[in-house]
Amino acid sequence: MASFGNFTHAIVRGIPASLVREALRSSFCEVDLAAAQHQLQLHIGTLKDELGLQVVELLADESLPDCVFVEDCAVVCGDTALITRPGAPSRRKETEAMKSALQELNLNIVEMEDDTATLDGGDVLFTGREFFVGLSKRTNQRGAEILAWAFKDFPVSTLPVFEGLHLKSFCSMAGPDLIAFGSSEPAQKTLKILQQSGNHHYNTLILPDDAAANCVFMNLSGKGQVLLHCTPEEYPNSAKVFETLKDHLLFPVSNSEMSKVDGGLSCCSVLISKTGS
Amino acid sequence: MTTEVASETEVKKEPEKADEQPVAAQQQDGEEEPEQLAAVQDGVTPRAASPHADRKSKEAKGLSRFLPPWLKRQKSLSRTEPSEDREDKTPTEEQQEAPPSEEASPQEAERDESHSIGSADTQPAKEEKGEGSPERIGDGKEEEDLLESKAGEKDEGKLLKLEAEVEKSSLKPAKKMKTVTCQVTLLDGSLLPCELEKRVRGIVLFAKVCEHLNLLEKDYFGLCYKDHADQKCWLDPAKEIKRQIRNCPWQFAFSVKFYPPDPSQLTEDITRYLLCLQLRQDIASGRLPCSFVTHSLLGSYTLQAEMGDHDPDGHCLDYISDFQFAPSQSKEMEEKVVELYKTHRGMSPAQADAQFLENAKKLSMYGVDLHHAKDSEGVDIMLGVCANGLLIYKDRLRINRFAWPKILKISYKRSNFYIKIRPGEAEQFESSVGFKLPNHRAAKRLWKVCVEHHTFFRLVTPEQPPKARFLTLGSKFRYSGRTQAQTREASTLIDRPAPHFERCSSKRLSRSLDGAPGLGMDDQSGAPGQGLTPGAKNGRDPALELSSDSKDLDKTQEDVLKHQASISELKRNFMESTPEPQPSQWEKRLTASPATSLRLRAQAAFEEEVPSSSVLSSPVAVPTGLPAACTTSVSAAEGDIAVGSPPAAAHVVEKALPRADGSSYSGSDAGKTAEDKQKSDTLEQAEVEIEETVVIKEVRKAPKVEVTVPEVVVTIAVTEKEPEEKTGAEAEGRGDEGVTQRGSTSSDSHSESEDEAEYRPQAPGESIDHIKEVPEEEEELAVEAQPLEAEPAAAPPCPTTEEQESPLKDEAQNGHPEMQSPQGSVEEDEEDEGEPKLNGDASRAETEGLPQVICCSEPPVVKTEMVTISDTFAAQKTEISTTEVPIVHTETKTITYEAAQVDGAGDGEPGVLMTAQTITSESLCTTTTTHITKTLKGGVSETRIEKRIVISGDSDIDHDQALARAIKEAKEQHPDMSVTRVVVHKETEVMEEGKD
C-alpha cells in the first residue's frame, strides 16, 4: 500500500486520424484532431517532463481508431500485466502493441485466452488494496474472474456500472484510500456498493461532474502525491474541489477533445511501477 | 459431567426465581433447598462462601497470569453478584452434582469427574490455570455471566467440566479408563502420539498438544480431523473426542483456526512461527493463492528463517527445490526466491517470520474459510468466512461481501444457509440472502464457522449461548472460547522468557504434508476459520455437523447410518415440528414414555380443578410462539439427579397465562412437548452432541392472565429408540419464522435444530444457550407445564416411578379429535407438529383473537421396539435388543415425579391436542407438543405444557443436571406455571466395549 501510485513508467499511444470519424462514442461529437493531439502531447509532457516518468510511446494505428486509449488494453499491477480482451471487437487488436511493450518492460504477461471474457481496463479500479471491476457494456463477469486469477494477491470485487461507458468514467483513485466519485445518481449507487463490498473503508471525494471524477493519482518519490485532473475550463466546479486537496501536487490537464469520444484522463496511459530490477 | 453440574446449579437457581411466583413453587423450593444444603455440606463448598479466595490462590499459579485481571474480576463478580437466590440455588446445584454415582456410568472415572467438577465450581481459577483452553471458556462464560448470570453459570459449568477433565486426565492417567493412542500431526509435519483416555473431551488433547508445543497463545489454533466424508472438522474441545470422530481414526491435525489479521500483534514469536508453518502449508496446498512475486517473496523469507543468511559459497540452488514455495514452482520462481533471499541478510529468523506474515496477511484469501455453495439461482459460488465478515465468491471473484456489522442474523435450515442483512441507508427493510449448501452438514458447518468467527473477531466477549426457553429449537451452539480481544488481553500478561523452539525445515514440511495423515487442509473446506480454541463449546463445526447430519454419515455401517439418519430426521421433524414423521415418533414417545401417561392423568386432574378458563394459554402459545415457552434444556446427566432430588424437579411455577389470545380457550390445553430423540443409536452417533436450541419462547404473557397455574411436567426419558421415521420432511419452517413472529411479545425464539439454527450476531442476548451434551444414552426430558388457574400451588412432587411407555399415543390421538377450541375454530395440522406455520398461524390467531386449535395427527409409528425395564431410581441395566436395530442394547429406566395434585386429573376427558411442536436441539431433541384441552366441566381452562427432552449421546449424560436444568428452564419460562410431573425415562445402550 505504501507503494501505491509509485509509478515509474507510462505507456501511451498516438491518436490516429481515424479517431475523428471512426472511434466509438456514445454521443455524436465532432472531434478536432489537432486539438486532441495537442492535448495528448501536453498530457504526455506532464508525465514525462513534470513527473519524470519513463514514457513509452506507441505509434498510432489507423486501423484502430480507439488505440489512443491504452488503458483499456492492459491492467498492470506490480510485476504482472494482464492483457485484456476489450469488449469492443474493433479494439481487440489494440492489445498486440501493448503486449509487446509490456514484454519489453519485463513484466509477467497474463493474457485473457477465454473467448467469452471481455474486460476493458477502464472498468478496473485498483485502490492499492483491492480491485474493483465494473461490469459494464465492455466488461463481463468472466473478464473479471480472469483478472482475479491474474492478480491472486488481491481481492477482486465487481461493481455494477449503471450508466456511462466504464467504471472509471465516473470514479478513480485520487489519493491513498481516497476515491473520487461523481455525484450523479448512478455513480453514487455504484459508490454505495463499493463501500459495502470493499475490504477497506475509503474516503471519498465527491465531484459535481462525473467525468471530472476520472483523474490520475500518483505517489512519486521526490514529488509526493500527484494528481492529474480536469481543468477549470472544462469543469469549473469540480476543479474547485480538486483545488481543495492540500496534500497533492495538482496538474490540471485538458482533455476536452478526448472526452468527446468517452475518453478520460486515465484512458490515455498505462502506468507501471517497476521497482528494483 | 462436570460441566453439567454447573449447569445444574443454575437450574436450581432459576427455581428460586420461581419462588416468587407461585406458592406451590416456593414450597417445593423449600424442600429442595434442604437437600441442596446437605449436598453442599457433603463436600462441595458453596460457591458463595469462598469463591474469591480460591480463585486468587489459584490464579497465582501458572497460567493464571495469563488471564487478564479483569476477567478474573468478572468471575468473582459474577459469583458474588448472584443474589441470595443464587447462593441458595448453588447448593442445590451441587447436590445435583453430587449424585454422579447415579449416573449411568458406573465407572469410577466418572465419579472422579464429578468430583473434579465440584471442585471446579468452587475453584474456577485453578482450572483455568491448569489449562488455557478451559480457562478461556470459563472466562468467556463468566463474562457473560455478568450480563446474564444464569447463562453464564451454565457456561461456567462447562468450563469447569472441561477444566476438570483436563486436570483429571492429567492427574490420573488411566487406571480404569481405556486408553487410546492418537496421533496429532503438528504444523511442522511431525507426529505427536498421545495417550488418551477414550472418554476425554477434545480439550484434553488440545491442551496436551499446546503443552507439547509450549504454546500459550493457543486461542488461534485448534485440532481438526477428517470425518467419514473426508471433510475437515474441528474437534470440539468441550465434547468427547470419541463421540466426535466416531469411527474415524484417532488422527488429528493441529492447525490455525482463526488467522489473526495482524500477526504482528501476537505476543510470542513461537505463535508467529506456528502461524507461518500453517501459512506455508496453505500456500503449498494452493489454498492460499499468491502471485508469482508473492510466492517468491514469501519463499525467500522462509529460507531466511530456516536457513539463516544466504551463504554465497553455498549451493542453495541444490537444495532449494526441496522447498515448496508454491503448489507448483518453476525454476524461475526458485531463482527469484534465491535472488530475494540474498537481500534478507542479517535478518533473524523471527524477523523473517514477521516479514513473511506481513506479506501473507495482505493476501486476499488470507484467513478465509471457503465453503462451496450455490446461490439462489443455482450458480456455484463459494462462501468465505473471515475475520471481517462473509465473502461471496464466484470463481475467484468476490461478488459480494457482508461485513459482520451488516449481518443481523445467520441461520441455517437444512442445507440452506441464510443471512439477514441490515438495511442500508437507502433501504428500509432487512433483506435476507439464502444460499444452498451441498448438504445439511455443510450448512451447519458454515453456520458454526460464522458464529465462531463473528464471536472471535467481532465481539469483545463471547456471546452467551442462547438460553433455553420453553421451547428452544435449533442449535445453541456458540463460540465459547476467548475472543481475539480477550486473547490479546491475556497475551499481554505473558511474561515468560521467549521459549526456545526449533524451526524445522520446511523441506520436511512440504514432504510431510503429502504424507501427513489427513490433516492437510482441504482447500475449500478446510479453511481456517473454524474455531480453534478450546473455547468453542460445541466445538467445531465438525462436531456439530457430525451430530446432526453426521449422525447418518458417521456411522460406518449402513444400517447404522440409516438409522441415524432417520433419527436425525426425526429430530429435525420435531424441531421443525413438521407434521409428518415427527408426530408419529413423538407420539410414540409419548406413548412410550411414562411421562405422557402421567400427563394424561395430570391433565385430567387439572381440568377439573381448573376453573377457568378461557384463555389458555401458554401451551398454545408455545407452539405459536406465544407464551410460555418452556425450554428444557437438559444437560446430559440430569436424569439421575432428578431422581435423586425429586423436589427440585417439581416446582410449581405459576405462569400467567400468556395467551391472551382472545380466544378463549376454555379448555386448557395440555401442552405436550415431546422431545424425542431417538437416538438410540449408539455412541457412534455422537451427533447428538449437537446442541440445538429450540427456542420458542414465549409465552406471551398475556394480558389477560388467567390465573392458571400451569403445571410443568418434566419428563426425562432416556430412551433408545431408533427412529426410523423420516421426520426431516417438514421441519423447515418452523424455527425461524415461528420464532420471529412470535418474538413479538416475548422473545425471539431461536429455533435451531440440527437442521436449523439461528445466530444473531448483534443481539447476543436473544440467544439462549444450552449446552448439552449428548451422551450415548438418549434421554428425554419432558416438561409439561400446565397452567391451572385454580391451582396455584403445586404440591411438592412425589417421586413416583412409572414404567409406562405406551399410553401416550393414545392420549395424543384422543386429544386430537377432541380438540375444539371454544371459539370453534379448530385447525388441524396434522402431521405438522412443529411447523413454523403452525406457529405463525397460531400467532395470527392470537392477533385475530380467534383461537386456533391445531391437532396433531396421529402418532408416528415407531418401528423400534422399546423395551422399558425399570423403575425407579436405581438404574437397572437391561439389555434390550431392538428388533430393527439389533445392535443396540438398551437400558431403560423411568422415574416419575408427580405433584400430588396432578394425580387428580380426570382421565375422562383427554385433552385436546391443540398444537404440537417439536424442537430439537443439537444435543437434545426436544419435541414440544401442546395439548389444549377444553374442559367442559368447569369451563376451566387448563394449559398444560409438556416438555420432553431426549438426550442421546454416547456417554456421560448428567441426568440430574439435565433434569434440573429442564425444570429450571421450565420454571423460568413459565413462571406462572407449576411443575406437576417429572418423568425420567432413561434408556441406556449397552455398548460393546470392543467397538468404538
Side-chain angles (χ1 to χ4, degrees), chain B residues 428-448:
Chain B
Q428 295 182 344
F429 303 102
E430 298 168 351
S431 56
S432 287
V433 184
F435 303 95
K436 180 79 173 174
L437 278 289
N439 55 51
H440 167 212
R441 298 175 63 188
K444 184 162 193 173
R445 178 186 309 148
L446 172 60
W447 178 78
K448 285 190 169 183

PDB file of all heavy atoms in Angstrom, chain B residues 428-448:
ATOM      1  N   GLN B 428     -35.103   0.314   3.496  1.00  0.00           N
ATOM      2  CA  GLN B 428     -35.903   0.376   4.697  1.00  0.00           C
ATOM      3  C   GLN B 428     -36.083  -0.983   5.328  1.00  0.00           C
ATOM      4  O   GLN B 428     -36.461  -1.100   6.471  1.00  0.00           O
ATOM      5  CB  GLN B 428     -37.280   0.947   4.375  1.00  0.00           C
ATOM      6  CG  GLN B 428     -37.205   2.388   3.924  1.00  0.00           C
ATOM      7  CD  GLN B 428     -38.568   2.932   3.673  1.00  0.00           C
ATOM      8  OE1 GLN B 428     -39.507   2.169   3.553  1.00  0.00           O
ATOM      9  NE2 GLN B 428     -38.690   4.247   3.578  1.00  0.00           N
ATOM     10  N   PHE B 429     -35.845  -1.976   4.557  1.00  0.00           N
ATOM     11  CA  PHE B 429     -36.155  -3.298   5.069  1.00  0.00           C
ATOM     12  C   PHE B 429     -34.936  -4.190   5.122  1.00  0.00           C
ATOM     13  O   PHE B 429     -34.024  -4.061   4.320  1.00  0.00           O
ATOM     14  CB  PHE B 429     -37.223  -3.954   4.204  1.00  0.00           C
ATOM     15  CG  PHE B 429     -38.465  -3.135   4.108  1.00  0.00           C
ATOM     16  CD1 PHE B 429     -38.730  -2.382   2.984  1.00  0.00           C
ATOM     17  CD2 PHE B 429     -39.352  -3.099   5.173  1.00  0.00           C
ATOM     18  CE1 PHE B 429     -39.871  -1.614   2.903  1.00  0.00           C
ATOM     19  CE2 PHE B 429     -40.494  -2.317   5.090  1.00  0.00           C
ATOM     20  CZ  PHE B 429     -40.755  -1.571   3.953  1.00  0.00           C
ATOM     21  N   GLU B 430     -35.007  -5.037   6.027  1.00  0.00           N
ATOM     22  CA  GLU B 430     -33.952  -6.016   6.105  1.00  0.00           C
ATOM     23  C   GLU B 430     -34.117  -6.972   4.939  1.00  0.00           C
ATOM     24  O   GLU B 430     -35.219  -7.253   4.517  1.00  0.00           O
ATOM     25  CB  GLU B 430     -34.073  -6.815   7.402  1.00  0.00           C
ATOM     26  CG  GLU B 430     -33.938  -5.962   8.634  1.00  0.00           C
ATOM     27  CD  GLU B 430     -34.356  -6.725   9.873  1.00  0.00           C
ATOM     28  OE1 GLU B 430     -34.893  -7.830   9.726  1.00  0.00           O
ATOM     29  OE2 GLU B 430     -34.136  -6.213  10.974  1.00  0.00           O
ATOM     30  N   SER B 431     -33.047  -7.414   4.475  1.00  0.00           N
ATOM     31  CA  SER B 431     -33.141  -8.374   3.397  1.00  0.00           C
ATOM     32  C   SER B 431     -32.430  -9.644   3.828  1.00  0.00           C
ATOM     33  O   SER B 431     -31.535  -9.623   4.654  1.00  0.00           O
ATOM     34  CB  SER B 431     -32.484  -7.814   2.141  1.00  0.00           C
ATOM     35  OG  SER B 431     -31.155  -7.444   2.410  1.00  0.00           O
ATOM     36  N   SER B 432     -32.880 -10.700   3.252  1.00  0.00           N
ATOM     37  CA  SER B 432     -32.243 -11.964   3.582  1.00  0.00           C
ATOM     38  C   SER B 432     -31.643 -12.566   2.335  1.00  0.00           C
ATOM     39  O   SER B 432     -32.197 -12.448   1.251  1.00  0.00           O
ATOM     40  CB  SER B 432     -33.247 -12.952   4.174  1.00  0.00           C
ATOM     41  OG  SER B 432     -33.587 -12.580   5.481  1.00  0.00           O
ATOM     42  N   VAL B 433     -30.541 -13.156   2.515  1.00  0.00           N
ATOM     43  CA  VAL B 433     -29.884 -13.786   1.393  1.00  0.00           C
ATOM     44  C   VAL B 433     -29.731 -15.261   1.732  1.00  0.00           C
ATOM     45  O   VAL B 433     -29.318 -15.605   2.833  1.00  0.00           O
ATOM     46  CB  VAL B 433     -28.488 -13.178   1.169  1.00  0.00           C
ATOM     47  CG1 VAL B 433     -27.844 -13.782  -0.071  1.00  0.00           C
ATOM     48  CG2 VAL B 433     -28.589 -11.671   1.037  1.00  0.00           C
ATOM     49  N   GLY B 434     -30.117 -16.085   0.810  1.00  0.00           N
ATOM     50  CA  GLY B 434     -30.045 -17.514   1.069  1.00  0.00           C
ATOM     51  C   GLY B 434     -29.068 -18.208   0.140  1.00  0.00           C
ATOM     52  O   GLY B 434     -28.893 -17.796  -1.004  1.00  0.00           O
ATOM     53  N   PHE B 435     -28.460 -19.220   0.650  1.00  0.00           N
ATOM     54  CA  PHE B 435     -27.526 -19.991  -0.157  1.00  0.00           C
ATOM     55  C   PHE B 435     -27.823 -21.467   0.058  1.00  0.00           C
ATOM     56  O   PHE B 435     -28.283 -21.864   1.123  1.00  0.00           O
ATOM     57  CB  PHE B 435     -26.080 -19.702   0.257  1.00  0.00           C
ATOM     58  CG  PHE B 435     -25.717 -18.247   0.177  1.00  0.00           C
ATOM     59  CD1 PHE B 435     -25.812 -17.434   1.297  1.00  0.00           C
ATOM     60  CD2 PHE B 435     -25.319 -17.690  -1.020  1.00  0.00           C
ATOM     61  CE1 PHE B 435     -25.491 -16.087   1.223  1.00  0.00           C
ATOM     62  CE2 PHE B 435     -24.995 -16.336  -1.099  1.00  0.00           C
ATOM     63  CZ  PHE B 435     -25.082 -15.535   0.021  1.00  0.00           C
ATOM     64  N   LYS B 436     -27.515 -22.190  -0.924  1.00  0.00           N
ATOM     65  CA  LYS B 436     -27.749 -23.628  -0.820  1.00  0.00           C
ATOM     66  C   LYS B 436     -26.414 -24.326  -0.646  1.00  0.00           C
ATOM     67  O   LYS B 436     -25.533 -24.206  -1.483  1.00  0.00           O
ATOM     68  CB  LYS B 436     -28.430 -24.104  -2.107  1.00  0.00           C
ATOM     69  CG  LYS B 436     -28.735 -25.579  -2.130  1.00  0.00           C
ATOM     70  CD  LYS B 436     -29.974 -25.885  -1.336  1.00  0.00           C
ATOM     71  CE  LYS B 436     -30.380 -27.358  -1.497  1.00  0.00           C
ATOM     72  NZ  LYS B 436     -31.515 -27.684  -0.605  1.00  0.00           N
ATOM     73  N   LEU B 437     -26.318 -25.043   0.418  1.00  0.00           N
ATOM     74  CA  LEU B 437     -25.094 -25.783   0.652  1.00  0.00           C
ATOM     75  C   LEU B 437     -25.288 -27.214   0.164  1.00  0.00           C
ATOM     76  O   LEU B 437     -26.412 -27.654  -0.009  1.00  0.00           O
ATOM     77  CB  LEU B 437     -24.744 -25.773   2.138  1.00  0.00           C
ATOM     78  CG  LEU B 437     -24.010 -24.554   2.707  1.00  0.00           C
ATOM     79  CD1 LEU B 437     -22.573 -24.539   2.204  1.00  0.00           C
ATOM     80  CD2 LEU B 437     -24.683 -23.255   2.324  1.00  0.00           C
ATOM     81  N   PRO B 438     -24.222 -27.895  -0.030  1.00  0.00           N
ATOM     82  CA  PRO B 438     -24.324 -29.250  -0.576  1.00  0.00           C
ATOM     83  C   PRO B 438     -25.195 -30.157   0.293  1.00  0.00           C
ATOM     84  O   PRO B 438     -25.882 -31.027  -0.218  1.00  0.00           O
ATOM     85  CB  PRO B 438     -22.888 -29.746  -0.589  1.00  0.00           C
ATOM     86  CG  PRO B 438     -22.050 -28.524  -0.597  1.00  0.00           C
ATOM     87  CD  PRO B 438     -22.821 -27.475   0.136  1.00  0.00           C
ATOM     88  N   ASN B 439     -25.139 -29.977   1.566  1.00  0.00           N
ATOM     89  CA  ASN B 439     -25.954 -30.803   2.435  1.00  0.00           C
ATOM     90  C   ASN B 439     -26.137 -30.099   3.759  1.00  0.00           C
ATOM     91  O   ASN B 439     -25.589 -29.033   4.002  1.00  0.00           O
ATOM     92  CB  ASN B 439     -25.319 -32.190   2.620  1.00  0.00           C
ATOM     93  CG  ASN B 439     -23.879 -32.071   3.121  1.00  0.00           C
ATOM     94  OD1 ASN B 439     -23.607 -31.380   4.103  1.00  0.00           O
ATOM     95  ND2 ASN B 439     -22.955 -32.721   2.433  1.00  0.00           N
ATOM     96  N   HIS B 440     -26.880 -30.744   4.567  1.00  0.00           N
ATOM     97  CA  HIS B 440     -27.195 -30.155   5.864  1.00  0.00           C
ATOM     98  C   HIS B 440     -25.949 -29.944   6.702  1.00  0.00           C
ATOM     99  O   HIS B 440     -25.762 -28.935   7.364  1.00  0.00           O
ATOM    100  CB  HIS B 440     -28.173 -31.095   6.576  1.00  0.00           C
ATOM    101  CG  HIS B 440     -28.354 -30.783   8.016  1.00  0.00           C
ATOM    102  ND1 HIS B 440     -28.613 -31.725   8.951  1.00  0.00           N
ATOM    103  CD2 HIS B 440     -28.287 -29.616   8.676  1.00  0.00           C
ATOM    104  CE1 HIS B 440     -28.706 -31.168  10.134  1.00  0.00           C
ATOM    105  NE2 HIS B 440     -28.508 -29.883  10.002  1.00  0.00           N
ATOM    106  N   ARG B 441     -25.096 -30.889   6.640  1.00  0.00           N
ATOM    107  CA  ARG B 441     -23.898 -30.769   7.459  1.00  0.00           C
ATOM    108  C   ARG B 441     -23.058 -29.594   7.031  1.00  0.00           C
ATOM    109  O   ARG B 441     -22.491 -28.879   7.846  1.00  0.00           O
ATOM    110  CB  ARG B 441     -23.074 -32.044   7.359  1.00  0.00           C
ATOM    111  CG  ARG B 441     -23.812 -33.250   7.862  1.00  0.00           C
ATOM    112  CD  ARG B 441     -23.025 -34.497   7.628  1.00  0.00           C
ATOM    113  NE  ARG B 441     -21.778 -34.451   8.377  1.00  0.00           N
ATOM    114  CZ  ARG B 441     -20.822 -35.349   8.233  1.00  0.00           C
ATOM    115  NH1 ARG B 441     -20.954 -36.323   7.371  1.00  0.00           N
ATOM    116  NH2 ARG B 441     -19.724 -35.263   8.943  1.00  0.00           N
ATOM    117  N   ALA B 442     -22.995 -29.461   5.743  1.00  0.00           N
ATOM    118  CA  ALA B 442     -22.200 -28.346   5.248  1.00  0.00           C
ATOM    119  C   ALA B 442     -22.809 -27.030   5.698  1.00  0.00           C
ATOM    120  O   ALA B 442     -22.102 -26.081   6.048  1.00  0.00           O
ATOM    121  CB  ALA B 442     -22.125 -28.404   3.720  1.00  0.00           C
ATOM    122  N   ALA B 443     -24.127 -26.991   5.695  1.00  0.00           N
ATOM    123  CA  ALA B 443     -24.792 -25.756   6.115  1.00  0.00           C
ATOM    124  C   ALA B 443     -24.523 -25.492   7.577  1.00  0.00           C
ATOM    125  O   ALA B 443     -24.248 -24.363   7.987  1.00  0.00           O
ATOM    126  CB  ALA B 443     -26.297 -25.871   5.862  1.00  0.00           C
ATOM    127  N   LYS B 444     -24.555 -26.537   8.324  1.00  0.00           N
ATOM    128  CA  LYS B 444     -24.332 -26.349   9.747  1.00  0.00           C
ATOM    129  C   LYS B 444     -22.887 -25.966  10.016  1.00  0.00           C
ATOM    130  O   LYS B 444     -22.592 -25.129  10.863  1.00  0.00           O
ATOM    131  CB  LYS B 444     -24.663 -27.631  10.493  1.00  0.00           C
ATOM    132  CG  LYS B 444     -24.547 -27.455  11.990  1.00  0.00           C
ATOM    133  CD  LYS B 444     -25.278 -28.546  12.707  1.00  0.00           C
ATOM    134  CE  LYS B 444     -25.423 -28.183  14.168  1.00  0.00           C
ATOM    135  NZ  LYS B 444     -26.266 -29.129  14.884  1.00  0.00           N
ATOM    136  N   ARG B 445     -22.025 -26.599   9.274  1.00  0.00           N
ATOM    137  CA  ARG B 445     -20.618 -26.289   9.477  1.00  0.00           C
ATOM    138  C   ARG B 445     -20.357 -24.820   9.160  1.00  0.00           C
ATOM    139  O   ARG B 445     -19.685 -24.118   9.906  1.00  0.00           O
ATOM    140  CB  ARG B 445     -19.780 -27.165   8.559  1.00  0.00           C
ATOM    141  CG  ARG B 445     -18.291 -26.880   8.674  1.00  0.00           C
ATOM    142  CD  ARG B 445     -17.512 -27.681   7.640  1.00  0.00           C
ATOM    143  NE  ARG B 445     -17.890 -29.081   7.696  1.00  0.00           N
ATOM    144  CZ  ARG B 445     -17.902 -29.885   6.640  1.00  0.00           C
ATOM    145  NH1 ARG B 445     -17.582 -29.435   5.452  1.00  0.00           N
ATOM    146  NH2 ARG B 445     -18.256 -31.142   6.770  1.00  0.00           N
ATOM    147  N   LEU B 446     -20.917 -24.397   8.079  1.00  0.00           N
ATOM    148  CA  LEU B 446     -20.738 -22.994   7.705  1.00  0.00           C
ATOM    149  C   LEU B 446     -21.317 -22.076   8.772  1.00  0.00           C
ATOM    150  O   LEU B 446     -20.713 -21.074   9.152  1.00  0.00           O
ATOM    151  CB  LEU B 446     -21.422 -22.731   6.357  1.00  0.00           C
ATOM    152  CG  LEU B 446     -21.488 -21.273   5.921  1.00  0.00           C
ATOM    153  CD1 LEU B 446     -20.089 -20.676   5.788  1.00  0.00           C
ATOM    154  CD2 LEU B 446     -22.235 -21.163   4.581  1.00  0.00           C
ATOM    155  N   TRP B 447     -22.454 -22.473   9.239  1.00  0.00           N
ATOM    156  CA  TRP B 447     -23.102 -21.638  10.259  1.00  0.00           C
ATOM    157  C   TRP B 447     -22.221 -21.525  11.495  1.00  0.00           C
ATOM    158  O   TRP B 447     -22.012 -20.461  12.061  1.00  0.00           O
ATOM    159  CB  TRP B 447     -24.450 -22.255  10.612  1.00  0.00           C
ATOM    160  CG  TRP B 447     -25.185 -21.526  11.666  1.00  0.00           C
ATOM    161  CD1 TRP B 447     -25.895 -20.368  11.522  1.00  0.00           C
ATOM    162  CD2 TRP B 447     -25.294 -21.892  13.037  1.00  0.00           C
ATOM    163  NE1 TRP B 447     -26.435 -20.007  12.737  1.00  0.00           N
ATOM    164  CE2 TRP B 447     -26.076 -20.924  13.675  1.00  0.00           C
ATOM    165  CE3 TRP B 447     -24.793 -22.964  13.788  1.00  0.00           C
ATOM    166  CZ2 TRP B 447     -26.388 -20.970  15.027  1.00  0.00           C
ATOM    167  CZ3 TRP B 447     -25.092 -23.021  15.135  1.00  0.00           C
ATOM    168  CH2 TRP B 447     -25.892 -22.036  15.741  1.00  0.00           C
ATOM    169  N   LYS B 448     -21.684 -22.655  11.878  1.00  0.00           N
ATOM    170  CA  LYS B 448     -20.838 -22.609  13.062  1.00  0.00           C
ATOM    171  C   LYS B 448     -19.593 -21.785  12.835  1.00  0.00           C
ATOM    172  O   LYS B 448     -19.148 -21.058  13.725  1.00  0.00           O
ATOM    173  CB  LYS B 448     -20.439 -24.028  13.473  1.00  0.00           C
ATOM    174  CG  LYS B 448     -21.542 -24.790  14.138  1.00  0.00           C
ATOM    175  CD  LYS B 448     -21.000 -26.071  14.719  1.00  0.00           C
ATOM    176  CE  LYS B 448     -22.015 -26.732  15.622  1.00  0.00           C
ATOM    177  NZ  LYS B 448     -21.451 -27.941  16.235  1.00  0.00           N
TER     178      LYS B 448
END
